[in-house]
């Protein structure tokens, strides 16, 4: 319905009251429609004062009412409205608030099961309905997978299946993770359909599941043929995997998730940047008995999604090949790091209460697997993970783990050095080994150091150093100092470890301290506080 933009009387009153900094009352559902029209109109004609009044009222509107107003508006490009508003200094901030409210409401609405079901129902009702519904399903992303799969499994909706499959392909990559989890559990017809969808999407993450279906002797021949064709389509544009088993592919998938989570967890497909959470998918056949979706999302803190995904892939690999030692090492490594990374006060709902503590599995795995864990930790300079591995190795007191522990003797974090030396001493080796001469000095450092903390203070000026030395000493630190990191290197060499580096100076002096500390193994892991 067409509207002529106007300013509501209440908004005019608010405009006058704004001079006295009076707050705007909350906009009602009825007001939101007109207020949005006013805001959009006055932004377009560059009247920021009046547009600002409307925006201020909209910022207190119910998010759902505001989104309804935007979606029903004659202005079909709200992003352009906000781009123009961002260029108007007087209203840029309040306009950004309104835009954020709309984005949150749109995200919540796109994931509502009722909304997803409505969109799936109209996919086969013409091209325009298909395009609009698929656009909204794309916004729902991976959360659209359970109901789309349930509709595809429903034999009574056979006439809709082509449109549903086409929409799945158009949505693409966000659906690969949940559909791959479901694929091996499906009956022959939907299994073939999902395999075809995954092949058309063409994302390598689907390869392990496709290979699992192909290798399963109980797979229906038609479904197997479709899975083989889908795998061939994917491998045609990615690295060849003709000799890799499904277990090998799951292991590679898990290792990739672990490495990605080490640096950029937000790039994982199962990481939800809008909520800073991750989603782990499971498939339960029992839930499909009454026509419900078998796919179940388990939401976990975003900080651990890479580790949880790695564990899931490693477990699947082990279920297919119990002798795949690398998969067991990956499971132990990811599980220990998952525990370390779990934010305080948050819960990992993917970790069943029936499971033991991560340290239990580390102990049971044995020294060979713990060597792998420790090597991974040392390569990544993950002190917390290294300490976990050393604790488990120390409990076994095995001579089989000497070399990783020897590497630990030179680790920047003194806790790792101390624990490595303790574990080596406890193992009581009867023959010499590389760097065995370092064990006793490191243990001696541990005895002398106790629980004290050491700070290195670096400043060109003695007066500046004295001021910082006094300040940090008052916090309980032992201190050493020098004009530069290199000048203090002699003192650093006879110090068991440095817990903090304080640097003051110009940018060149600070950069030089950073470079020099990176080149000193006792300082490479020490945090630096720089004051320019």
């Amino acid at each position: 319905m067409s509207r002529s933009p106007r300013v509501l009387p209440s908004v005019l009153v608010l405009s006058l009251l704004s001079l006295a900094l009076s707050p705007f009352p909350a906009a009602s559902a009825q007001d939101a429609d007109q207020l949005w029209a006013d805001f959009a109109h006055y932004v377009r004609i560059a009247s920021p004062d009046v547009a600002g009044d409307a925006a201020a009222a909209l910022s207190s509107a119910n998010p759902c009412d505001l989104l309804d107003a935007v979606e029903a508006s004659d202005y079909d490009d709200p992003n352009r409205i906000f781009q123009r508003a961002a260029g108007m200094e007087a209203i840029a901030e309040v306009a950004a608030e309104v835009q954020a409210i709309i984005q949150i409401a749109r995200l919540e609405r796109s994931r509502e099961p009722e909304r997803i079901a409505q969109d799936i129902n109209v996919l086969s009702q013409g091209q325009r309905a298909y395009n609009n519904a698929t656009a909204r399903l794309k916004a729902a992303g991976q959360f659209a997978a359970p109901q789309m799969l349930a509709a595809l499994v429903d034999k009574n909706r056979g006439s809709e299946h082509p449109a549903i499959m086409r929409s799945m392909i158009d949505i693409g990559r966000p659906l690969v993770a949940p559909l791959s989890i479901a694929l091996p559990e499906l009956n022959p017809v939907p299994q073939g359909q999902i395999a075809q969808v995954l092949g058309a999407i063409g994302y390598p993450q689907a390869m392990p599941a496709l290979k699992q279906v192909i290798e399963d002797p109980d797979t229906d021949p038609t479904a197997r043929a479709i899975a083989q064709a889908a795998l061939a389509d994917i491998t045609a544009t990615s690295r060849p995997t003709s000799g890799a088993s499904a277990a090998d592919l799951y292991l590679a998938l898990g290792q990739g998730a672990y490495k990605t989570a080490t640096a950029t967890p937000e790039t994982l497909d199962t990481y939800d940047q809008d909520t800073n959470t991750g989603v782990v998918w499971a498939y339960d056949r029992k839930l499909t008995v009454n026509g419900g979706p078998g796919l179940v999302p388990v939401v976990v803190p975003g900080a651990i999604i890479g580790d949880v995904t790695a564990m899931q892939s490693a477990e699947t690999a082990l279920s297919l090949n119990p002798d795949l030692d690398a998969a067991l090492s990956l499971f132990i490594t990811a599980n220990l790091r998952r525990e370390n990374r779990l934010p305080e006060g948050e819960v990992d709902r993917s970790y069943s209460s029936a499971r033991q503590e991560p340290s239990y599995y580390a102990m049971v795995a044995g020294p060979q697997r713990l060597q792998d864990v420790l090597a991974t930790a040392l390569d990544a300079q993950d002190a917390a993970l290294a300490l976990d591995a050393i604790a488990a190795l120390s409990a076994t007191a095995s001579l089989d783990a000497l070399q990783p522990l020897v590497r630990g003797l030179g680790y920047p974090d003194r806790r790792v050095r101390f624990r490595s030396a303790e574990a080596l001493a406890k193992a009581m080796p009867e023959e010499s080994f590389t760097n065995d001469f370092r064990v006793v000095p490191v243990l001696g450092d541990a005895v002398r150091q106790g629980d004290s903390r050491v700070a290195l203070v670096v400043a060109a000026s003695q007066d500046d150093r004295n001021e910082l030395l006094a300040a940090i000493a008052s916090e309980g630190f032992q201190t050493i100092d020098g004009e530069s990191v290199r000048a203090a290197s002699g003192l650093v060499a006879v110090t068991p470890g440095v817990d903090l580096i304080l640097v003051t100076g110009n940018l060149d002096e600070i950069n030089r301290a950073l470079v020099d500390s990176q080149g000193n193994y006792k300082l490479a892991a020490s945090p630096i506080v720089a004051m320019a």
Side-chain angles (χ1 to χ4, degrees):
M1 182 177 68
S2 177
R3 316 178 189 79
S4 57
R6 62 183 177 83
V7 180
L8 295 177
S10 60
V11 178
L12 285 173
V13 172
L14 289 171
S15 179
L16 295 173
L17 291 178
S18 66
L19 297 175
L21 301 180
S22 298
F24 287 95
S28 68
Q30 197 170 14
D31 290 339
D33 183 73
Q34 186 61 56
L35 286 168
W36 171 253
D38 294 340
F39 171 72
H41 172 72
Y42 287 110
V43 166
R44 291 178 60 163
I45 66 172
S47 296
D49 291 341
V50 185
D53 292 338
L58 285 171
S59 67
S60 61
N62 179 284
C64 293
D65 293 339
L66 177 53
L67 181 58
D68 286 339
V70 172
E71 292 185 342
S73 172
D74 293 335
Y75 302 105
D76 57 3
D77 191 359
N79 288 332
R80 187 171 182 181
I81 298 295
F82 286 115
Q83 288 172 0
R84 288 178 61 87
M88 302 177 187
E89 184 177 355
I91 64 170
E93 184 174 348
V94 68
E97 292 178 11
V98 174
Q99 186 176 25
I101 293 171
I102 293 172
Q103 289 172 339
I104 292 171
R106 183 174 283 124
L107 174 66
E108 292 177 350
R109 178 168 294 178
S110 70
R111 297 177 181 179
E112 291 176 356
E114 297 80 6
R115 177 98 167 197
I116 292 173
Q118 291 171 5
D119 289 329
I120 295 172
N121 290 339
V122 301
L123 285 172
S124 59
Q125 296 180 10
Q127 189 61 44
R128 182 172 181 177
Y130 173 88
N131 291 341
N132 292 335
T134 298
R136 289 190 290 269
L137 291 169
K138 281 184 178 180
Q142 59 184 325
F143 294 97
Q147 287 175 266
M148 296 191 81
L149 179 60
L152 200 61
V153 170
D154 189 347
K155 297 178 182 179
N156 296 323
R157 303 182 67 170
S159 62
E160 302 174 51
H161 288 179
I164 294 171
M165 292 173 63
R166 178 185 164 202
S167 182
M168 284 179 162
I169 295 169
D170 285 343
I171 294 169
R173 183 167 168 172
L175 295 183
V176 172
L179 294 183
S180 296
I181 291 295
L183 179 67
E185 306 294 332
L186 298 174
N187 291 327
V189 173
Q191 189 174 68
Q193 291 172 319
I194 293 301
Q196 184 178 340
V197 167
L198 291 172
I201 293 173
Y203 187 50
Q205 187 180 1
M207 290 165 49
L210 289 167
K211 189 71 171 181
Q212 183 180 355
V213 168
I214 294 167
E215 291 180 351
D216 187 348
D218 295 329
T219 296
D220 176 80
T222 301
R224 178 182 288 110
I226 297 173
Q228 288 172 329
L231 184 62
D233 289 340
I234 296 174
T235 54
T237 57
S238 61
R239 290 180 298 177
T241 59
S242 55
S245 67
D248 294 331
L249 291 175
Y250 275 114
L251 172 61
L253 181 66
Q255 290 172 331
Y258 184 91
K259 291 177 182 177
T260 300
T262 301
T264 53
E266 66 277 0
T267 61
L268 289 169
D269 292 326
T270 48
Y271 182 90
D272 184 1
Q273 298 192 43
D274 295 303
T275 59
N276 191 30
T277 59
V279 181
V280 187
W281 290 94
Y283 190 83
D284 189 344
R285 277 178 173 268
K286 292 180 291 186
L287 298 178
T288 65
V289 174
N290 296 320
L295 270 172
V296 179
V298 181
V299 178
V300 301
I304 64 170
I305 180 58
D307 298 313
V308 174
T309 302
M311 289 171 60
Q312 185 183 48
S313 297
E315 285 188 277
T316 305
L318 286 169
S319 71
L320 298 172
N321 180 4
D323 297 324
L324 192 58
D325 290 339
L328 180 56
S329 296
L330 175 62
F331 177 84
I332 300 300
T333 305
N335 198 12
L336 289 169
R337 193 175 73 169
R338 176 197 63 82
E339 184 181 46
N340 293 337
R341 288 188 168 191
L342 183 64
E344 186 176 356
E346 296 195 40
V347 178
D348 177 10
R349 292 181 175 83
S350 71
Y351 204 73
S352 167
S353 59
R355 289 185 182 270
Q356 301 288 339
E357 293 292 322
S359 58
Y360 169 84
Y361 297 108
M363 292 283 294
V364 172
Q368 293 297 324
R369 303 288 67 80
L370 290 172
Q371 286 187 58
D372 297 338
V373 177
L374 182 53
T376 298
L378 295 175
D379 289 341
Q381 293 200 348
D382 187 336
L385 179 59
L387 289 170
D388 289 337
I390 292 169
L393 282 167
S394 180
T396 62
S398 171
L399 296 176
D400 295 333
L402 287 183
Q403 288 310 309
L405 290 172
V406 170
R407 282 189 62 194
L409 294 175
Y411 191 79
D413 190 304
R414 63 176 175 170
R415 297 170 301 167
V416 175
R417 297 201 303 274
F418 293 168
R419 296 294 179 266
S420 295
E422 289 172 359
L424 284 166
K426 189 174 182 180
M428 306 214 33
E430 296 179 357
E431 298 180 1
S432 62
F433 53 88
T434 304
N435 286 333
D436 56 2
F437 63 90
R438 299 186 62 181
V439 175
V440 173
V442 171
L443 286 173
D445 283 342
V447 172
R448 291 194 301 272
Q449 189 69 10
D451 293 327
S452 61
R453 298 175 298 167
V454 176
L456 168 61
V457 174
V458 177
S461 164
Q462 184 64 59
D463 290 340
D464 290 340
R465 294 204 300 275
N466 290 341
E467 184 178 351
L468 290 175
L469 286 168
I472 196 66
S474 68
E475 296 297 325
F477 282 84
Q478 295 184 21
T479 59
I480 56 177
D481 68 294
E483 296 179 0
S484 65
V485 171
R486 290 188 180 183
S489 60
L491 293 172
V492 170
V494 296
T495 301
V498 173
D499 301 282
L500 179 67
I501 303 173
L502 290 177
V503 183
T504 185
N506 60 38
L507 185 59
D508 289 338
E509 291 168 334
I510 290 172
N511 283 333
R512 186 161 57 250
L514 176 62
V515 171
D516 290 345
S517 66
Q518 292 294 311
N520 186 314
Y521 87 95
K522 281 194 174 182
L523 301 177
S526 302
I528 298 176
V529 176
M531 293 166 284

